[in-house]
Amino acid sequence: MSVPVMVPGLENPPTNHSRLTAWVREVAELTTPERVVWCDGSDEEWRRLTDELVASGTLVRLNDEYKPNSFWARTDPSDVARVEERTYICSVDEADAGPTNNWMAPAEMKQTMTELYRGSMRGRTMYVIPFCMGPLTAENPMYGVEITDSAYVALSMRIMTRMGSHVLDAMGDDAVYVPALHSVGAPLDEGQADTAWPCSETKYISHFPESREIWSFGSGYGGNSLLGKKCYSLRIASVMGRDEGWLAEHMLILKLTSPRDEVRYIAAAFPSACGKTNLAMVEPTIPGWKVETLGDDIAWMRFGEDGRLYAVNPEYGLFGVAPGTDWKTNPNAMRAIDKGNSLFTNVALTDDGDIWWEGMGEPPAHLTDWHGKDWTPDSEGPSSHPNSRFCTPIQQCPILADEYEDPKGVPISAILFGGRRASTIPLVTQSRDWAHGVYFGATLSSETTAAAVGKVGVVRRDPMAMLPFIGYNGADYFRHWIEMGKGANGGDSSKMPAIFYVNWFRRDDDGKFLWPGFGENSRVLKWVVERLEGRAEAVETPIGFVPTPESLDTDGLDLDAASLDAVLNVDVEEWRAEIPLVQEWFEKFGDKLPGVLWAELDALKARLGVE
Ligand code: GTP
Ligand code: SPV
Ligand code: MN
């Protein structure tokens, strides 16, 4: 054991939670920060940290007239997205990480990372952030404590989670919590000047599913550093869900009210940067239909006493893709960010202290781009990074549903899976039943986006939009989904949500999107609801039920009949070409893959006339 060191802030912790104070001390002794600060979540703390980061050059304060109490941040150009290659599930047994995750034995990972953490906070402040995912009024509040040496992370956690003194108080002396350790991995020697965006070339985003711990090193970017989000609420929570009979999913949650005042709740899983935030707060173009937002990225779903599946959004903020967000495409997001209290990362800065990004219409004559360089419309490359983000309190969303704070959640009537596919996948398809819907999810495919480091535009399988987020063996995850539909865990198999597959991103021969998307996606929501009520027509195709052109409400829609046919088309040849890809995908899981999924594939092959 190392010799106990005296770090200011370690004495008189604001809690009697002895496991927590012991862990904080242990981390401080290992990482040797200059001081320890317990975050209380107060406005005063927000002011102090933003002032500090403005002084150090990490943040630029925006013009209060446009974006009150808001800040512009630029990252290191190498630290702009989730690092899937450096993300690990360190289960005791390698088989429990499965074929879709990187794996390292927990002891080995801890040894490696302990050496990285040794002295890694030197010259920095260590922040202790008590947080809760989901309402504090839940029967079992889902606590976490993040330790980080990044004030940017502390500020972002205040937006994205319920955090601070009230959470620490609620934790009492011995509440269970997920310890989440983060360091940017850039210690400062005495007299050494800091950089605006400290990070390390060495990065690890590690999860220990059995002990339910998170260790992150080297990156300050959101998905790698705001550990309540992907790391806790998806990777660790998916393991909890497997063990306890619920689901942690990469899904938006929305409330849809029809002109007849009938309310339905819909959840939708699309891969990163494939349209969740936009659909979650969509403004319907069809008269009389209303959408309200419950969540835009993560849903925790468990069965209620009535056997229906209820969803809760564990988050407290929006961490949305900036480019493409505009008054035309997503006015509710624009209204939310205009209220201020936001952090903008890797977007462009206007000369009068507002933010700008691609998709906001005509660019100003001059900007400071995400590299901090002068930018004009003649410059090469975009002014904002394609994965630049706004980070905004969800309470500022003008259409947040009242049920948002209800710890019971909302009963889900339909689940949509969707991806970004230029061809093959029709605008919307309904599954025959739950197992067929699980097959939709298990075979979901999408073109890769800038949300993760790597090549963009490559089609890959992204099961349930969870490929980078399933915290255990993918085959066991599929089995869990199938079991959930069979009345396990308090569910009623006759009350499961109907499952649909959508694709807003089909293109014509010129590469143009066939479907106008955004507000017009409400037409698809309407068809979904009418299917639930048995009121909309569909064609039964080999892949499932697809709307007849007449059954989709196209009143006032600027779309010619040929394009409508094209976006709904099921091209048997294209689907036959998918079969070997699905086969290859399923084979990755070996004997563990549930037979039900092979049976679904066989049935599809038979319907397509494939050997
Ligand atoms: P993550 O936060 O990474 O999980 O992304 P997300 O799934 O919430 O995606 P988001 O709604 O932020 O959309 C990502 C990009 O897709 C943005 O640039 C949007 O403008 C664009 N987009 C969203 N919906 C549509 C649509 O219906 N049609 C088209 N063409 N683009 C869309
Ligand atoms: C995603 O990539 O799915 C996001 C952004 O929602 S991040 O929080 O970085 O993961
Ligand atoms: Mn996401």
Side-chain angles (χ1 to χ4, degrees):
M1 230 8 250
S2 56
V3 188
V5 281
M6 279 324 295
V7 181
L10 266 189
E11 64 293 345
N12 304 321
T15 172
N16 293 317
H17 195 304
S18 52
R19 264 180 301 119
L20 173 56
T21 53
W23 177 58
V24 169
R25 170 170 291 278
E26 190 190 310
V27 172
E29 288 179 358
L30 175 65
T31 60
T32 63
E34 204 163 273
R35 70 183 77 78
V36 173
V37 169
W38 291 74
C39 292
D40 59 15
S42 64
D43 291 344
E44 193 282 319
E45 178 176 272
W46 172 270
R47 266 194 302 276
R48 183 165 45 81
L49 295 187
T50 53
D51 283 351
E52 278 174 28
L53 289 185
V54 167
S56 68
T58 302
L59 296 183
V60 169
R61 180 181 284 279
L62 297 175
N63 188 331
D64 262 6
E65 259 178 64
Y66 306 126
K67 301 282 183 299
N69 192 28
S70 297
F71 301 86
W72 178 62
R74 294 189 299 107
T75 71
D76 185 279
S78 69
D79 197 21
V80 294
R82 284 183 294 100
V83 283
E84 296 181 1
E85 285 305 308
R86 307 300 306 161
T87 300
Y88 289 81
I89 300 299
C90 303
S91 44
V92 171
D93 183 348
E94 182 173 2
D96 286 329
T100 61
N101 287 304
N102 300 311
W103 177 84
M104 200 190 284
E108 191 188 340
M109 181 61 86
K110 286 202 164 171
Q111 199 174 11
T112 302
M113 290 191 73
T114 297
E115 290 320 307
L116 292 169
Y117 283 129
R118 197 177 298 286
S120 75
M121 297 190 186
R122 189 169 64 244
R124 298 192 182 280
T125 302
M126 175 175 126
Y127 301 95
V128 183
I129 308 165
F131 66 93
C132 183
M133 299 313 296
L136 271 148
T137 50
E139 208 175 316
N140 294 302
M142 301 289 270
Y143 296 117
V145 177
E146 176 158 355
I147 293 180
T148 178
D149 54 5
S150 161
Y152 168 90
V153 167
L155 290 168
S156 305
M157 284 292 285
R158 187 189 189 222
I159 298 173
M160 295 306 297
T161 69
R162 297 158 173 92
M163 59 76 75
S165 301
H166 69 296
V167 175
L168 190 62
D169 292 346
M171 285 174 65
D173 294 350
D174 66 357
V176 173
Y177 67 95
V178 170
L181 174 55
H182 171 253
S183 171
V184 294
L188 288 169
D189 289 326
E190 216 162 303
Q192 184 185 342
D194 202 359
T195 54
W197 189 269
C199 61
S200 166
E201 257 175 58
T202 306
K203 294 179 174 60
Y204 283 97
I205 319 297
S206 303
H207 306 75
F208 303 92
E210 281 90 2
S211 57
R212 296 178 181 178
E213 294 170 279
I214 302 157
W215 286 18
S216 167
F217 183 90
S219 168
Y221 168 77
N224 305 322
S225 68
L226 313 181
L227 303 184
K229 193 172 176 54
K230 300 299 157 107
C231 300
Y232 182 160
S233 294
L234 289 178
R235 298 195 190 96
I236 295 292
S238 65
V239 173
M240 295 173 167
R242 173 198 65 189
D243 295 347
E244 299 165 9
W246 50 281
L247 294 167
E249 298 298 328
H250 193 198
M251 290 182 182
L252 68 92
I253 312 164
L254 65 81
K255 175 181 181 179
L256 182 64
T257 307
S258 77
R260 301 195 291 187
D261 260 349
E262 282 153 344
V263 171
R264 299 274 189 180
Y265 301 95
I266 296 178
F270 311 152
S272 303
C274 290
K276 288 182 300 301
T277 301
N278 278 268
L279 188 64
M281 48 188 84
V282 72
E283 258 185 11
T285 50
I286 40 179
W289 290 79
K290 184 164 108 181
V291 165
E292 290 160 273
T293 309
L294 284 134
D296 81 319
D297 200 51
I298 300 179
W300 285 351
M301 300 194 289
R302 40 183 112 224
F303 290 114
E305 274 163 24
D306 58 0
R308 295 187 69 187
L309 197 57
Y310 284 71
V312 167
N313 171 14
E315 299 196 277
Y316 206 48
L318 308 165
F319 188 62
V321 176
T325 308
D326 182 33
W327 289 102
K328 282 208 215 54
T329 56
N330 192 350
N332 287 314
M334 298 302 281
R335 291 179 190 114
I337 65 176
D338 270 359
K339 292 183 188 155
N341 312 307
S342 301
L343 299 178
F344 297 90
T345 303
N346 287 339
V347 304
L349 179 70
T350 67
D351 293 349
D352 54 351
D354 201 353
I355 40 83
W356 194 86
W357 49 68
E358 277 64 30
M360 275 195 183
E362 282 303 302
H366 179 263
L367 292 165
T368 308
D369 73 8
W370 75 277
H371 290 288
K373 301 235 164 66
D374 288 322
W375 189 94
T376 71
D378 296 331
S379 296
E380 216 180 294
S383 66
S384 300
H385 187 276
N387 191 40
S388 54
R389 299 263 166 178
F390 57 83
C391 182
T392 300
I394 198 167
Q395 310 274 1
Q396 291 181 193
C397 174
I399 57 163
L400 189 69
D402 289 340
E403 299 89 324
Y404 168 74
E405 285 285 1
D406 187 344
K408 280 202 320 293
V410 293
I412 298 298
S413 294
I415 291 174
L416 317 184
F417 291 117
R420 200 179 264 275
R421 285 290 303 267
S423 70
T424 317
I425 316 277
L427 180 64
V428 54
T429 311
Q430 183 180 11
S431 74
R432 297 180 154 70
D433 53 27
W434 181 259
H436 187 220
V438 174
Y439 175 88
F440 278 7
T443 59
L444 200 161
S445 56
S446 196
E447 294 154 18
T448 50
T449 66
V453 170
K455 210 166 162 347
V456 168
V458 183
V459 174
R460 71 172 184 184
R461 299 291 136 184
D462 191 341
M464 284 78 173
M466 283 283 284
L467 179 69
F469 308 122
I470 302 169
Y472 58 103
N473 186 299
D476 292 335
Y477 171 76
F478 297 150
R479 187 177 309 279
H480 184 43
W481 262 85
I482 290 163
E483 291 303 315
M484 290 289 284
K486 285 188 183 162
N489 308 309
D492 179 334
S493 59
S494 71
K495 296 180 180 168
M496 293 307 285
I499 300 181
F500 298 78
Y501 195 144
V502 301
N503 177 23
W504 316 144
F505 300 95
R506 205 165 182 178
R507 293 175 193 258
D508 65 15
D509 293 340
D510 301 327
K512 215 175 115 281
F513 288 123
L514 279 162
W515 178 251
F518 302 105
E520 306 296 4
N521 294 335
S522 57
R523 298 173 190 276
V524 174
L525 296 180
K526 177 180 175 185
W527 187 80
V528 163
V529 166
E530 288 179 346
R531 287 297 292 171
L532 299 176
E533 294 168 354
R535 295 193 289 121
E537 292 284 326
V539 204
E540 185 165 4
T541 76
I543 62 162
F545 298 95
V546 175
T548 59
E550 301 74 34
S551 67
L552 205 60
D553 181 347
T554 52
D555 252 17
L557 179 68
D558 183 18
L559 190 72
D560 59 64
S563 298
L564 183 61
D565 283 346
V567 82
L568 294 175
N569 186 34
V570 178
D571 182 323
V572 169
E573 280 314 313
E574 282 182 343
W575 277 95
R576 285 180 180 152
E578 288 281 300
I579 299 295
L581 304 176
V582 173
Q583 184 108 21
E584 193 188 334
W585 166 241
F586 279 180
E587 278 165 5
K588 270 174 90 95
F589 298 93
D591 291 346
K592 262 181 171 278
L593 192 88
V596 178
L597 292 177
W598 281 121
E600 287 292 337
L601 177 59
D602 285 343
L604 175 62
K605 280 160 79 173
R607 293 192 299 263
L608 289 168
V610 176
E611 278 310 295

